[in-house]
Amino acid sequence: MEWNPQTLQFLSECFLHTLSPAPEPRRRAEASLAEAADRPNYGLVVLRLVAEPSVDEQIRQAAAVNFKNHLRTRWSSEAPILPPEKEQIKSLIVPLMLSATRKIQSQLSEALAVIGKHDFPKAWPALLPELISNLKNASQASDYASVNGILGTADSIFNKFRFVFKTNDLLLDLKYCLDNFAAPLLEVFLKTASLIDASVNSGANLRPLFESQSLCCSIFYSLNFQELPEFFEDHMKEWMGEFRKYLTTTYPTLEGSGGDGLAIVDELRAKVCENINLYMEKNEEEFQAYLNDFALAVWTLLGNVSQSSNRDQLAITAIKFLTTVSTSVHHTLFASEGVVPQICQGIVIPNVKLRDDDEELFEMNYIEFIRRDMEGSDLDTRRRIACELLKGIATHYGDVVRNIVSSQIQSLLSSFAANPVGNWKDKDCAIYLVVSLATKKAGTSYVSTELVDVQSFFESVIVPELQSPDVNGYPMLKAGALKFFTMFRNQISKSMALKFFPDLVRFLASESNVVHSYAASCIEKLLLVKDEVGGSRYTSADINPIFPVLMNNLFSALKHQESEENQYVMKCIMRVLGVADLSADVARVCIEGLTFILGEVCRNPKNPVFNHYLFESVAILVKRGCENGLPVAVFETSLFPKLEIILTNDVTEFFPYTFQLLAQLVELNRSPIPPIYMQIFVILLSPDSWKRSPNVPALVRLLQAFLQKAPNEINQGDRLTKVLGIFDTLIQSSSTSDQGFYVLNTVIESLEYGVIRPYISHIWAALFRELQRRRTVKLIKSLLIFISLFLIKHGSSNLVDTMNGVQPDIFNVILSQFWIPNLKLITGAIELKLAAVASTRLICESPILLDLAAAESWGKMVDSIVTLLSRPEQERADEEPDVPDISENVGYTATFVRLYNAGRKEEDPLKDIRDPKEFFVASLSRLSALSPGKYPKVINEVVDPANQAALLQLCNAYNLTIV
């Protein structure tokens, strides 16, 4: 693509139309740009358009966004930007970014970071010197628009040093950055600090200066994350002096200027807190000299931070710092008389109490409220972090904390009892403290607390809320009570819990989305509780009395505004359907309810978690209904019209689920399967169906169902040729090769030898071709499992003859180079049994292995079988995982998610053989009895001594001998 006036006009018009509110010109422009993006130099000409001052600012901004996204998908992908274009882009982008307006600058800074992620520093050695040179010039001129642009870019580039494992390459890159950038960073930081000090009361514009310091702090965090660099240790006094100043100084002209003035100062303070917390966690010894001053500064600062939500980030990072101190060896800061009570009264309780913002979030955005409150999202809240501080202090001062908090809880509950209407938030605070300070036993769902007696707290505090006749009154208290019930479900006895099942069902009718979500979640989690012997504590007998009203209320909850796609309710439906007894009438009502919802979400799928539980609910209803004797037609009548809508309206998000459900329905039918399914089979064989990567595992699952249920229909016309064509296509890609083998294995399992005989040479040719192209562990394991299955189904002679028919003596090559050395890699109970039995039959039945000339191969195969059968999986199969071919999935947002309840039942092709170890030694014993003395000699000469001992142990275990 050439840079000329015509290109300038074409791109300008396209970018202008992408901003159009009308969909048609916008789509046309996007399509034109997508086509142009495939041409060489596209990125370069778009960058030049961004730099063109004669073009409208809006168009240039749209072009900058497009340029950034173009680099994201093309800089290192399978359709790369060519090296000469890359070099030109790298030479232009820094000066252009520095001269651009703020909005364009931010886009180009992100684009630069994309390049830096792949090329910096090794393939872009000029970048850092260029940034440093520009930084010095901009700093000397006090040009903070440029200073902040450069620092923002450096921040994006250095971000890669955070949260990653140390490697030699990473540390070399970090050293290069430290050697070059640490000193200029400190220089800019100190100069900006002096400008702030000089301007603090002058009314000068402090905003860009504070933004600059925040960026310096962010870079400080990245460069110090892995370990304490020598430069920063040498200059710790300068850094820490300025850090402390920002925590203890107020800036009235900026903080009181309205708008985001206070937020800009608080952002810097929060970054400082993150940095001192990092030093506290990783460089405690070096930081010790500054600890007392910072602890006092943070403590004082927290006392002055209001409850306003726009100060949350500062409060959270400050409390995190105190939490880290509380669990360190310097916890004695909290030992002084009155400190822990002061923390509880001055920091914890004020931050745990409900604020207006919490109530607003509860009412206006129930999903976000639940994400923060019940699921413990990554986003910290003041309530949670305040409780973490108490937990931290309790590590060394447990009794003190427990006494104070227990007393505080009683005080809060007394306050509520004195005035329930006015002080209901005190009860909420008490419940929250008990729930948040509970400890979870590792690896279990068992939760304990030493603050209260769970049973008595449940009866005295929680039960009154559960029994409240008004399901809509004080919804936040109801939510807290339900959360407590859910959290301590293991400790609450079955007899006690069953009393309140009807109340949980009542709360499903609450108008509050949070309350009916928590009620649904509580029921769902209770149904997962295990009894002492590992069985389910709650069974169908417990659910059946309330089942009709429970299902009615669950479906009704989905009619509340904004709760139409409530994932907690749908997950509860799925769980209940997995436990309750399902009669024909109940199953019909449920499938009609679920398919109605499916029809609604097909119009605009929004919540993938809800959708997953919806399809799981359908799958488990079909599965359990048919297990209970219901004909599959009961479900087909309701399901087919909706599945047809999904396929005809191209609802791509639901394709993988649809194919899995169709596979389940095919398997539940008796042969011959109804003609409507064979129409689907025709579509399934079309190459177009297989073009979307996320659909492939589900399509393979459906194809396997057809191969098993309709083997006669498969053998008509050119259907089998098309099936094997699909197998051939799938094995050519590393990301789908295992799916190709699933198809092939099912062909071998399901079809008679006479049917597949004409195709066998083509199958072997395809497999040998792939083996020559790439010899990955995954491919070799899949090949060995296929060979084993072929031998089991059709005998060793057919195996050897058909392989050698493609290429003379190829069998021996495969045996020596792939089968024998890699047999030990086979994992999985059925796969191990299959491979061991097939290999045993080969050495005991195949003339090619029983020939005297093959004695060494025979002995090596025995050695491999013993390794497979006698050594633990982790010892013998410690291979590197194959690197997935990511590039093949670029551009797809849909993904395959397996439906657990529609899963294919693993069939054991060797049901008559119980124990592969016994089969192995019994077969060897029979074989050796035919030629006494022959095989022990080979075993002594070829088999590894450790495996000889293991073989002797196996023989002794089954009272067999090899003579």
Side-chain angles (χ1 to χ4, degrees):
M1 194 174 227
E2 294 297 318
W3 175 248
N4 54 42
Q6 292 79 14
T7 302
L8 175 63
Q9 186 178 353
F10 163 72
L11 288 175
S12 297
E13 287 176 0
C14 283
F15 286 122
L16 179 64
H17 287 311
T18 61
L19 303 172
S20 170
E24 197 46 48
R26 191 171 67 245
R27 285 196 197 108
R28 274 202 308 270
E30 287 167 353
S32 298
L33 289 170
E35 188 181 339
D38 291 330
R39 294 159 66 184
N41 290 329
Y42 171 80
L44 189 58
V45 297
V46 172
L47 186 59
R48 285 186 167 162
L49 169 63
V50 174
E52 184 55 54
S54 63
V55 176
D56 180 78
E57 169 84 8
Q58 259 196 319
I59 292 173
R60 290 163 60 207
Q61 194 178 329
V65 173
N66 179 272
F67 173 73
K68 174 191 70 178
N69 292 333
H70 179 71
L71 296 197
R72 274 186 180 151
T73 55
R74 308 275 178 141
W75 196 264
S76 65
S77 70
E78 77 279 5
I81 299 167
L82 297 174
E85 183 184 356
K86 283 186 173 183
E87 291 309 312
Q88 287 189 69
I89 287 172
K90 287 195 281 195
S91 69
L92 291 172
I93 192 167
V94 174
L96 176 55
M97 181 198 73
L98 295 178
S99 62
T101 58
R102 186 161 183 164
K103 286 182 178 176
I104 291 175
Q105 188 182 70
S106 69
Q107 297 299 328
L108 293 180
S109 178
E110 285 185 51
L112 196 152
V114 169
I115 304 171
K117 182 181 175 185
H118 299 289
D119 290 16
F120 178 78
K122 294 182 181 64
W124 199 358
L127 174 61
L128 203 54
E130 187 176 5
L131 289 176
I132 292 166
S133 171
N134 282 297
L135 181 63
K136 284 181 177 174
N137 293 336
S139 177
Q140 284 167 5
S142 293
D143 173 9
Y144 273 85
S146 295
V147 167
N148 292 349
I150 297 161
L151 290 174
T153 300
D155 185 31
S156 299
I157 293 168
F158 297 153
N159 203 54
K160 75 174 188 176
F161 298 122
R162 300 182 182 199
F163 313 115
V164 287
F165 289 114
K166 278 185 192 178
T167 63
N168 286 336
D169 283 347
L170 184 85
L171 292 176
L172 284 171
D173 288 355
L174 176 57
K175 183 179 185 308
Y176 168 77
C177 295
L178 285 164
D179 289 347
N180 289 280
F181 204 80
L185 177 69
L186 178 58
E187 193 179 321
V188 170
F189 184 66
L190 293 176
K191 181 189 173 181
T192 309
S194 66
L195 288 175
I196 290 173
D197 291 345
S199 310
V200 71
N201 295 313
S202 68
N205 186 8
L206 291 173
R207 287 168 188 258
L209 302 179
F210 271 83
E211 287 167 2
S212 180
Q213 297 301 67
S214 287
L215 287 165
C216 286
C217 284
S218 189
I219 294 169
F220 178 99
Y221 191 92
S222 297
L223 295 180
N224 281 271
F225 186 86
Q226 293 295 335
E227 54 193 31
L228 177 59
E230 188 179 339
F231 180 88
F232 284 93
E233 186 173 2
D234 292 343
H235 294 275
M236 197 182 291
K237 188 175 180 181
E238 290 108 304
W239 282 104
M240 295 303 150
E242 293 304 320
F243 284 173
R244 185 172 174 275
K245 186 172 69 184
Y246 295 126
L247 297 181
T248 55
T249 308
T250 56
Y251 300 91
T253 55
L254 186 53
E255 293 180 55
S257 63
D260 59 353
L262 177 61
I264 288 169
V265 181
D266 275 358
E267 183 185 0
L268 175 55
R269 289 171 177 148
K271 292 274 173 66
V272 167
C273 288
E274 285 176 353
N275 284 336
I276 60 174
N277 191 50
L278 178 71
Y279 267 45
M280 193 62 221
E281 286 178 333
K282 299 197 170 194
N283 312 307
E284 193 176 326
E285 188 180 332
E286 295 83 355
F287 183 64
Q288 185 176 349
Y290 306 95
L291 176 57
N292 282 359
D293 284 347
F294 274 113
L296 179 62
V298 170
W299 184 298
T300 309
L301 180 67
L302 275 169
N304 297 321
V305 173
S306 69
Q307 292 295 304
S308 170
S309 62
N310 60 9
R311 306 201 75 184
D312 280 359
Q313 193 54 36
L314 173 58
I316 287 165
T317 51
I319 295 171
K320 270 187 179 175
F321 171 71
L322 291 181
T323 305
T324 305
V325 174
S326 73
T327 55
S328 75
V329 295
H330 302 290
H331 59 81
T332 47
L333 287 168
F334 299 91
S336 304
E337 185 73 28
V339 171
V340 175
Q342 200 177 333
I343 286 177
C344 195
Q345 294 290 346
I347 296 176
V348 176
I349 298 302
N351 283 297
V352 169
K353 279 196 171 178
L354 281 172
R355 297 175 297 164
D356 292 344
D357 293 322
D358 298 318
E359 291 185 71
E360 187 178 329
L361 190 67
F362 183 93
E363 290 170 11
M364 305 302 292
N365 189 346
Y366 83 96
I367 292 173
E368 182 60 21
F369 180 89
I370 293 171
R371 199 168 72 87
R372 294 185 189 185
D373 181 58
M374 187 164 72
E375 295 181 356
S377 72
D378 293 337
L379 185 66
D380 285 314
T381 63
R382 284 202 191 197
R383 298 188 101 187
R384 186 180 308 124
I385 208 71
C387 289
E388 288 302 315
L389 174 58
L390 268 189
K391 281 184 182 178
I393 298 170
T395 7
H396 297 289
Y397 307 100
D399 290 339
V400 178
V401 169
R402 277 187 288 278
N403 291 337
I404 291 169
V405 177
S406 296
S407 166
Q408 191 67 50
I409 288 168
Q410 292 310 313
S411 172
L412 288 164
L413 291 174
S414 300
S415 167
F416 169 77
N419 183 3
V421 175
N423 297 338
W424 67 269
K425 289 183 182 180
D426 288 345
K427 182 173 184 177
D428 174 86
C429 185
I431 295 171
Y432 189 89
L433 280 168
V434 173
V435 170
S436 298
L437 294 174
T439 51
K440 193 168 185 180
K441 194 174 176 183
T444 71
S445 58
Y446 190 87
V447 179
S448 63
T449 179
E450 294 175 325
L451 291 174
V452 296
D453 177 75
V454 171
Q455 200 76 22
S456 63
F457 190 87
F458 180 73
E459 290 175 28
S460 62
V461 178
I462 304 302
V463 166
E465 297 302 327
L466 296 178
Q467 291 183 328
S468 168
D470 181 6
V471 295
N472 297 315
Y474 299 103
M476 296 193 87
L477 267 185
K478 302 291 189 297
L482 290 165
K483 186 180 171 187
F484 181 96
F485 196 173
T486 307
M487 176 75 82
F488 294 102
R489 60 191 178 276
N490 284 290
Q491 287 91 308
I492 296 165
S493 67
K494 178 175 179 178
S495 58
M496 172 69 75
L498 281 176
K499 286 182 194 172
F500 302 106
F501 261 46
D503 292 306
L504 294 177
V505 175
R506 274 193 314 117
F507 280 114
L508 291 170
S510 169
E511 291 170 4
S512 164
N513 289 343
V514 174
V515 172
H516 63 241
S517 299
Y518 278 21
S521 183
C522 187
I523 294 166
E524 187 263 327
K525 294 285 192 297
L526 280 166
L527 294 181
L528 289 174
V529 174
K530 302 294 182 190
D531 58 23
E532 290 75 14
V533 293
S536 295
R537 185 184 288 182
Y538 302 97
T539 63
S540 57
D542 304 313
I543 289 292
N544 290 341
I546 56 169
F547 182 59
V549 66
L550 170 57
M551 291 308 294
N552 179 65
N553 285 11
L554 282 166
F555 279 114
S556 296
L558 294 172
K559 293 173 184 171
H560 284 282
Q561 192 172 0
E562 307 228 336
S563 205
E564 297 90 350
E565 295 186 25
N566 187 315
Q567 66 203 53
Y568 308 99
V569 173
M570 187 50 71
K571 191 177 185 182
C572 185
I573 289 173
M574 176 195 75
R575 196 74 64 207
V576 171
L577 290 175
V579 174
D581 291 331
L582 298 174
S583 65
D585 290 340
V586 165
R588 280 193 184 89
V589 170
C590 290
I591 196 66
E592 283 167 13
L594 291 171
T595 50
F596 173 79
I597 295 166
L598 180 54
E600 293 298 303
V601 295
C602 277
R603 295 174 186 170
N604 183 21
K606 295 194 290 285
N607 183 344
V609 179
F610 173 85
N611 297 334
H612 178 75
Y613 289 132
L614 170 59
F615 280 98
E616 284 284 15
S617 298
V618 171
I620 198 165
L621 181 60
V622 172
K623 177 185 174 185
R624 295 199 66 239
C626 291
E627 282 173 355
N628 290 348
L630 295 176
V632 69
V634 169
F635 303 105
E636 289 171 338
T637 307
S638 295
L639 268 175
F640 272 162
K642 305 305 179 189
L643 299 183
E644 189 178 359
I645 288 170
I646 291 168
L647 296 174
T648 54
N649 292 358
D650 212 29
V651 187
T652 54
E653 297 94 326
F654 291 169
F655 277 14
Y657 291 127
T658 300
F659 298 137
Q660 289 177 84
L661 282 181
L662 285 169
Q664 183 187 28
L665 294 171
V666 167
E667 288 170 350
L668 289 167
N669 268 278
R670 292 200 179 99
S671 297
I673 58 174
I676 189 168
Y677 286 104
M678 295 317 295
Q679 294 169 22
I680 295 167
F681 185 63
V682 172
I683 300 168
L684 177 63
L685 295 181
S686 160
D688 287 343
S689 301
W690 296 80
K691 284 182 179 175
R692 291 190 179 113
S693 292
N695 294 345
V696 168
L699 287 168
V700 166
R701 166 94 179 79
L702 179 55
L703 185 53
Q704 287 178 295
F706 276 114
L707 286 165
Q708 286 179 311
K709 276 290 177 179
N712 296 329
E713 290 86 340
I714 302 292
N715 191 30
Q716 292 173 13
D718 61 351
R719 286 173 178 169
L720 185 52
T721 305
K722 288 181 177 177
V723 169
L724 292 170
I726 290 166
F727 142 74
D728 195 8
T729 303
L730 292 177
I731 63 160
Q732 290 180 50
S733 164
S734 59
S735 63
T736 57
S737 64
D738 52 341
Q739 299 293 328
F741 276 102
Y742 294 158
V743 173
L744 183 59
N745 292 344
T746 314
V747 166
I748 296 299
E749 282 182 271
S750 307
L751 303 181
E752 297 294 328
Y753 187 69
V755 173
I756 62 170
R757 187 188 290 120
Y759 303 93
I760 291 174
S761 60
H762 299 293
I763 292 170
W764 288 125
L767 293 174
F768 298 156
R769 176 197 70 217
E770 291 310 308
L771 210 49
Q772 278 188 315
R773 264 194 344 119
R774 62 181 200 284
R775 300 187 175 187
T776 63
V777 170
K778 184 169 79 169
L779 183 73
I780 292 167
K781 283 167 68 174
S782 298
L783 177 68
L784 294 189
I785 289 165
F786 167 70
I787 288 174
S788 301
L789 185 64
F790 190 103
L791 186 150
I792 295 297
K793 287 288 181 183
H794 305 304
S796 59
S797 297
N798 282 332
L799 176 72
V800 174
D801 294 347
T802 55
M803 286 174 80
N804 287 338
V806 174
Q807 188 177 324
D809 204 37
I810 189 72
F811 175 80
N812 279 325
V813 174
I814 297 293
L815 181 71
S816 61
Q817 291 186 18
F818 298 100
W819 196 338
I820 290 171
N822 293 296
L823 184 62
K824 65 183 181 182
L825 300 180
I826 301 298
T827 55
I830 291 176
E831 290 84 354
L832 185 147
K833 182 180 179 183
L834 178 68
V837 170
S839 302
T840 302
R841 285 183 55 180
L842 184 74
I843 59 171
C844 294
E845 298 172 12
S846 173
I848 200 166
L849 263 293
L850 294 173
D851 191 294
L852 202 60
E856 187 177 355
S857 293
W858 186 93
K860 286 180 176 176
M861 181 60 102
V862 169
D863 189 64
S864 287
I865 298 170
V866 174
T867 299
L868 179 69
L869 292 174
S870 65
R871 294 194 194 170
E873 195 172 287
Q874 62 269 26
E875 267 185 42
R876 57 183 171 75
D878 185 24
E879 83 277 3
E880 285 293 313
D882 289 326
V883 177
D885 192 348
I886 299 296
S887 63
E888 292 173 5
N889 290 322
V890 168
Y892 287 107
T893 52
T895 54
F896 169 77
V897 182
R898 189 173 76 90
L899 283 176
Y900 175 81
N901 291 300
R904 182 170 180 259
K905 191 180 175 187
E906 284 296 323
E907 291 291 334
D908 181 356
L910 293 163
K911 292 189 184 76
D912 53 326
I913 296 173
R914 186 181 56 82
D915 181 356
K917 293 178 183 178
E918 184 180 16
F919 179 82
F920 170 58
V921 290
S923 300
L924 270 187
S925 180
R926 283 195 300 273
L927 178 67
S928 70
L930 299 174
S931 307
K934 175 182 175 182
Y935 295 104
K937 182 173 181 293
V938 178
I939 290 168
N940 285 332
E941 289 173 359
V942 180
V943 175
D944 178 81
N947 279 348
Q948 288 184 38
L951 178 58
L952 185 61
Q953 273 189 321
L954 285 172
C955 290
N956 291 338
Y958 296 102
N959 294 319
L960 292 163
T961 55
I962 299 169
V963 294

